[in-house]
Amino acid sequence: QVQLVESGGGLVQAGGSLRLSCAASGIFFSINVMAWYRQAPGKQREVVASIYNDGSTFYSDSVKGRFTISRDNAKNTVYLQMNSAKPEDTAVYYCYADPLIVGDPDTVLEVWGQGTLVTVSS
């Protein structure tokens, strides 16, 4: 019923910038948290940044000061501005959201996007 679609990934040189976006579609009342995770080959998926409905944010230590997460609630979209990219940022980036479903006040879903690949060359 709810779908997340990421876009904006690609190849960038070290020190460069990328902007990822993730749009939520479907029928839902609201989304509490939207977040970006990433997973490199052979490694576990890790949280990169998250943003709550009230605008509060969280960043992992590895990206703090370089990445900025934001959201546009009118468009149900979350963004990740990646500046000063490093080769260790190379990974598949996944969008996450927890929509409250229309018609079922007891149901809060955990939804993942399909992922978008970011490759940072050294």
Side-chain angles (χ1 to χ4, degrees), residues 10-18 38 66-67 82-91 93 117-122:
L11 176 65
V12 63
Q13 291 184 323
S17 298
L18 281 176
R38 67 186 181 188
R66 299 187 298 117
F67 293 4
M82 305 170 57
N83 295 331
S84 302
K86 300 178 179 179
E88 51 263 44
D89 294 324
T90 296
Y93 283 71
L117 177 63
V118 173
T119 302
V120 183
S121 62
S122 60

Side-chain angles (χ1 to χ4, degrees), residues 52-66:
Y52 290 81
N53 188 261
D54 65 0
S56 60
T57 58
F58 166 83
Y59 296 94
S60 68
D61 289 340
S62 62
V63 307
K64 194 174 301 180
R66 299 187 298 117

